[in-house]
Structure formats: C-alpha cells, structure tokens
Amino acid sequence: MANITRDEIVHIAKLAMLNLTEQEIDNYTKDMQEILAYAEMINKIDTSATDETIGATEQKNKFRKDEVMEFKTREDLLQNAPSQDEGMFQIPKVIN
Amino acid sequence: MSKEDYEIVIGLEVHCELSTKTKIFCSCSTEFGGEPNTHCCPICMAMPGTLPVLNEKVVEYAVKAGLATNCKIAQNSKNDRKNYFYPDLPKAYQISQYDMPLCYDGYVNIETEKGEKTIRLERIHIEEDAGKLNHDDYGRGTFVDLNRAGVPLIECVSKPDLRSKEEVDAYLRKLKSIFEYIGISDCKMQEGSLRADVNVSVRKKGATEFGTRTEMKNMNSFRSISRAIEYEANRQIEVLENGGEITQETLRWDDISGKTFSMRDKEDAQDYRYFPDPDLVAIRLSDEYIENIKNSLPELPESRKKRYLEEYKLIPKAANFVTSSKYYSDIFEEAIAICKNPKTASNLLMSEVARILNEREEEPDQIPFSGKELGELVELIDKGTISSSISKKVLEELFENPKSPSQIIEEKGWVQISDEGAIKEVVKKILEANSQSVADYKAGKDRALGFLVGQAMKETKGKANPQMLNKMFIEEMKK
Ligand SMILES: [Zn+2]
C-alpha cells in the first residue's frame, strides 16, 4: 500500500541526518505519499512475461581490467579538506 | 540449571580481503602499508561526479570462493548501496550486495571431536572495505587515511550451525585454508585481511527456537575469537539464570580486560536502507564463464588429503594436519620432493613446527623457511648426520635465522658423533660411573640399557648416534 506515515518521515530524516521543520515534515509526508502512489500504479503492471530487470538500463558486465593506475598528487586530493595533517584528513575526535 | 544445560549457537560473517592488484571500483593499488592517502584517487575518495567501474578480478575471485565452498553461483547479480554515516566511509554508503549475492547455498566440512561436520554457508557477496581512522593521544582529533577504502572484500555468511568455540576455530581455519589454496587472499589475520563478525546466542539443550543473539564485530585473531565466544556465552547464561533477558546488540570485545562491552548502538543503526547502486550495471554470468572458472580451480585441501593418504601413506591425523594450511602443505610437498620421506617430514611439521609456532603465537603463513630447508633437514636425519633430538634444535634455529640446515649444524657443531672410537670412549666412561645399572642389566632388567644410553646422550649433548650407542653398550656389557 502506498502509505507512509509522518513518523516514518521523521525516522528517515534522522537516519539521513536532516533537520526538518514541522512544516517540511508535513510537506515531505505528502510528497512521499504521492510518489509511492505512483509507484503503486507501476506495481500493478503484469510483468510475468518479462525477464528480471536489474538496474535502470539493459546494460551488463561493464568490467575494468585489474591494472594499477596511480593517482599521483595527494595534495590535489586533500586540497579541499578543511583541516589536514601528515597527509590525512583531520576531523573531530571519533569515539569508537 | 548450570552451564552444561545450555547449548551455544554461533554464526559467523567472515570478511576476507581479496588479493587483487587494484581496488574494487577504481585503479588504485591495494598494496598494504604505504604513506597515508597515497593509494587513493577521486573515485575511492568519493569526489562528486566520479563513477565506479567493477574490477573483473573481484567477480572472478568471488566466484572461485563460491565454487570452492560448494556454493551455487548466481547468474544474475548486482551491487547495492548500504547507507550509514561513519568517517571511514567517504561516500556515506558502502557498495555491497543485498538481495542478489554472487554465491549462495554452500557448505564446508570441518573436523570435530565427533567426526566430520557440515557447516552451511548462506551466501558470499562482494563489497568494499572502509578506510582507517587514526586517533592521537594529544586530543587533536582523528586522522583519516583512505588507502584501504575500496579494497575488495568477500563476506561469507554462515548459517548458525556452529556449536562451540572449537568448531568456530576449525571452521575459520578451513575457510582460511580454502582461500589460501585457491589464491584469492593471503588471509593474514594479523594484517586484518581476514576478520569475522561473531554472532552468539545460547538456548536450553533440546530447545528448537534460537535465543536472542549478540554480535561482536571485526575480530581478527583466533585467540580473541575463542576467548570472546567463551566469555559472551557464559555472560548470557548467567543473565538468563538470574532471570534476566538478553538484549540484541552489538558488543565490543576488549582483549585486555577479556570482557565484552555494549557499544550503545543507536536504535536505528541497523537500518541501512539498501537500494541498487544506479552507478553500476547488472552482473550477468554465463554458464561458460562459470564453467571456465571451475576448471581453473587448483587442487583443494580435500583432494590433497586423499592423495597424502593414498600416495604417501600418511596416517589420517598427519594428512589432516598437513592439509589444514596451504603453507604447511606447500612446505611438505617441496620437502618430500627432496628427502622422499613423507613420514618424517609430516611428523616434524606436526610436532615440532606446530609447537614452535604455538610458542611464538604465530600462524603457518609466518614460517620463515621453505620446504627446501625442511627436506634437507630430513635428509640429514636419514643419513645419520644428526640425531632427531638435534633436528628439533635445528628447526628452532631455522625460525630465528633461516638458512641451510647443514650450514647451521656445522656452525653450531651439532654433527652427530658416529665415530666408533669416540662413541666407545663415552660408553666406557658411562659404564664405569654406573656400575649399579650394569649389574641391573646383567640381572635381566632391560630398562637399565635405556638409562645408560640416556646418560651417554646427555654426556654428548644429544650428538651421539643412538643406534651405535645401543649396540656398543650391549657389546661392552657382554664382555
Ligand atoms: Zn581509487
């Protein structure tokens, strides 16, 4: 059933670390219900005669050879880091 | 009720780093070590706009692992995103596999006290490893190194078929040995390339329902896994015996205190919101592809074991032991090509090499010498150049300082004394000093001979040829 509750929207927002206002929660609940209702319509199509689809396209087996290609400039990779030290990203202490 | 009334139920999720040259979705090297963030690129660092492309070797290795563990291989498979936030995961999702793993419904057989037991595998899937967080002691924060991020892993999920820490140990060693044999991973636990999440629950014997389980993540030594299982099972039994309930949670095993601690996971930490990765396309494997891989598999431990029993006439215990690790097995085969003595070569591995490894708290992959040295050592024993008691000392020396055994015995002066004159001298000395034993022997107490030989060995620091000693003592005492 195309039904999603306000509580579920709050839960998903929390998992995604989004801070939503009460108004936004209401809006997203409504939007999501509409999206799911549309998906429900597609769900009703009879696909018993169709091969199993994987992914959004018909493409398959796009593989890469196991050959090393070095990316040489660590400075470039780290250039946007707000803080770095000894070639590493420096972040607030993570308690593990 | 007591501990004996409970049954322990264990399931394992084993993560194994594949030994491909490059990462799973980019061309960065997987080499261990290296300066921080030097095996990285915009893809494995999750820069916006980059696209992953699957490494063909990862699929091949995972299929090999599946075939070697009797799995079915999925002809249709895909990659999914597992979403969670942690600083060692730059994309904020891990590319893994959810509902269509590459391999499923397999099994491996392990040796237990009660004979062979089958452990079922639910699935094997491919996924990427995370980076490494370094913490400093000066409160400056955490430092992120993404060299390991994107290193390919397979995750092998067992059914909850394991019933003791001994079975877990045997199962892990079996998986490790299979993966080593087929060459898909170096399985070095000390480097974290083989690690396990351990799920433990307990239930009353005879119960059909499983108890509530707890999970201990990222365990990477056989010893800690055994200790953790024992501790956690006892803890759960105690809670139940005191009328309490087990909470399903993730625990952290602390090796120093020997206890588990609650990680106080957020209640929704397990809600990963998997969905198909839209950046990657379907994996569709043909019968021909799977058949080719099947044909490329090398000889597996079961088959080597059979060969050792039949061709080399090893006893079952020795054949099991030697094939328990690819490293033992390779050393053994190289050694017997030189010395043509499977019995002594396997005995030395099983008794002495295993003992030394155990004392050093090391694994067979850390043996610093090859089958060439072992083969030469067996030859030296067979030729009578050294006694078997000296051979133990040579092995210990080989661990410290691996070089040719003949060079070791020469440098240490350990060559066996087989010179008749020298032996006779020792025999006479021992006979003079032990007249009581001589009298005993003459009175028919054969054990006295053993004592005399022992004394002579002691006198020569183990270097005298024991057969010659025996013979000469008998001759001298007949006079
Ligand atoms: Zn990369």
Side-chain angles (χ1 to χ4, degrees), chain A:
Chain A
M1 258 307 283
N3 204 357
I4 190 161
T5 64
R6 201 175 185 281
D7 284 349
E8 281 170 297
I9 295 295
V10 171
H11 175 66
I12 293 166
K14 192 175 153 205
L15 289 175
M17 293 192 181
L18 294 172
N19 288 316
L20 301 183
T21 63
E22 292 300 310
Q23 184 59 52
E24 281 170 327
I25 295 169
D26 287 339
N27 293 347
Y28 282 126
T29 308
K30 190 170 156 286
D31 290 350
M32 288 287 263
Q33 277 170 348
E34 279 169 21
I35 292 168
L36 287 172
Y38 181 69
E40 191 67 12
M41 201 166 76
I42 297 171
N43 266 345
K44 285 183 185 133
I45 300 168
D46 180 12
T47 55
S48 53
T50 315
D51 281 341
E52 186 177 23
T53 307
I54 306 171
T57 69
E58 288 295 304
Q59 291 199 55
K60 60 173 185 182
N61 300 346
K62 297 284 178 200
F63 296 136
R64 177 175 55 76
K65 290 252 175 284
D66 188 27
E67 287 160 6
V68 176
M69 259 168 51
E70 235 183 294
F71 188 85
K72 295 223 162 52
T73 45
R74 179 168 71 176
E75 296 69 37
D76 287 351
L77 291 170
L78 287 163
Q79 66 180 338
N80 291 334
S83 184
Q84 55 170 290
D85 193 33
E86 289 172 42
M88 288 185 276
F89 298 94
Q90 187 174 7
I91 60 169
K93 189 169 173 61
V94 177
I95 300 150
N96 62 338

Side-chain angles (χ1 to χ4, degrees), chain B residues 24 84 96 109 116 118 142 157 205 277 377 390 396 437:
Chain B
I24 181 166
Y84 64 95
S96 178
N109 291 327
E116 199 168 74
T118 298
T142 295
V157 183
K205 277 185 184 159
D277 192 314
L377 180 63
I390 290 292
E396 276 167 11
S437 298

Side-chain angles (χ1 to χ4, degrees), chain B residues 196-479:
Chain B
D197 298 347
V198 185
N199 291 295
V200 179
S201 66
V202 300
R203 63 177 172 188
K204 295 257 168 70
K205 277 185 184 159
T208 48
E209 301 266 306
F210 288 124
T212 306
R213 66 190 161 88
T214 58
E215 183 176 27
M216 294 174 279
K217 282 194 181 288
N218 261 324
M219 314 274 304
N220 66 349
S221 95
F222 288 113
R223 219 171 285 258
S224 325
I225 290 171
S226 271
R227 289 176 65 207
I229 289 170
E230 172 148 42
Y231 174 86
E232 180 54 17
N234 285 338
R235 185 191 70 83
Q236 291 186 11
I237 292 169
E238 214 175 288
V239 169
L240 294 175
E241 284 294 291
N242 292 326
E245 267 182 32
I246 307 299
T247 325
Q248 181 166 348
E249 61 182 339
T250 303
L251 301 172
R252 184 175 60 84
W253 165 254
D254 181 65
D255 222 20
I256 295 158
S257 65
K259 289 178 177 169
T260 52
F261 294 94
S262 172
M263 304 250 286
R264 284 188 194 79
D265 263 11
K266 286 181 203 133
E267 67 267 32
D268 18 65
Q270 298 293 314
D271 196 342
Y272 293 126
R273 293 148 296 141
Y274 283 95
F275 68 91
D277 192 314
D279 287 341
L280 290 155
V281 301
I283 305 166
R284 297 193 191 265
L285 304 179
S286 66
D287 287 328
E288 194 194 354
Y289 174 89
I290 297 167
E291 199 56 34
N292 281 341
I293 293 182
K294 198 180 266 175
N295 294 333
S296 78
L297 284 179
E299 189 184 19
L300 292 170
E302 301 285 322
S303 151
R304 281 205 196 190
K305 188 173 123 187
K306 210 168 149 232
R307 198 156 52 80
Y308 293 177
L309 290 169
E310 286 165 8
E311 265 177 53
Y312 304 139
K313 309 286 178 232
L314 291 191
I315 54 167
K317 192 181 164 205
N320 273 334
F321 176 82
V322 174
T323 54
S324 69
S325 158
K326 176 181 186 283
Y327 296 95
Y328 283 142
S329 185
D330 286 350
I331 288 176
F332 172 74
E333 297 209 352
E334 198 184 356
I336 60 170
I338 295 167
C339 68
K340 318 271 184 261
N341 185 343
K343 193 175 166 210
T344 307
S346 63
N347 273 340
L348 283 178
L349 282 172
M350 187 161 55
S351 51
E352 297 311 314
V353 174
R355 174 185 60 81
I356 297 168
L357 280 177
N358 194 36
E359 279 169 14
R360 297 167 70 97
E361 300 192 3
E362 287 179 351
E363 294 297 323
D365 58 68
Q366 289 164 286
I367 298 172
F369 55 89
S370 71
K372 199 168 146 264
E373 282 77 32
L374 182 70
E376 200 192 312
L377 180 63
V378 175
E379 268 191 322
L380 290 169
I381 302 169
D382 287 347
K383 278 190 213 148
T385 313
I386 55 168
S387 63
S388 63
S389 65
I390 290 292
S391 73
K392 296 174 190 175
K393 287 161 79 172
V394 176
L395 276 172
E396 276 167 11
E397 188 58 26
L398 276 173
F399 270 90
E400 292 302 329
N401 195 0
K403 57 182 165 188
S404 150
S406 45
Q407 202 184 334
I408 291 175
I409 60 168
E410 201 185 302
E411 282 172 14
K412 299 271 179 186
W414 287 344
V415 178
Q416 179 159 274
I417 305 166
S418 297
D419 174 71
E420 219 164 297
I423 299 249
K424 196 166 207 167
E425 212 170 291
V426 178
V427 167
K428 281 193 166 158
K429 192 177 163 193
I430 299 297
L431 285 174
E432 269 166 34
N434 296 281
S435 50
Q436 184 58 47
S437 298
V438 177
D440 286 350
Y441 179 76
K442 286 183 174 166
K445 289 182 186 164
D446 285 345
R447 263 170 44 203
L449 177 62
F451 171 77
L452 291 166
V453 171
Q455 291 299 305
M457 287 301 268
K458 210 165 156 189
E459 176 74 22
T460 58
K461 299 193 174 68
K463 288 190 288 182
N465 180 324
Q467 286 81 29
M468 286 180 74
L469 278 178
N470 241 322
K471 204 170 139 235
M472 211 168 281
F473 269 118
I474 294 170
E475 278 173 14
E476 284 297 313
M477 286 190 288
K478 271 185 192 158
K479 283 181 186 169

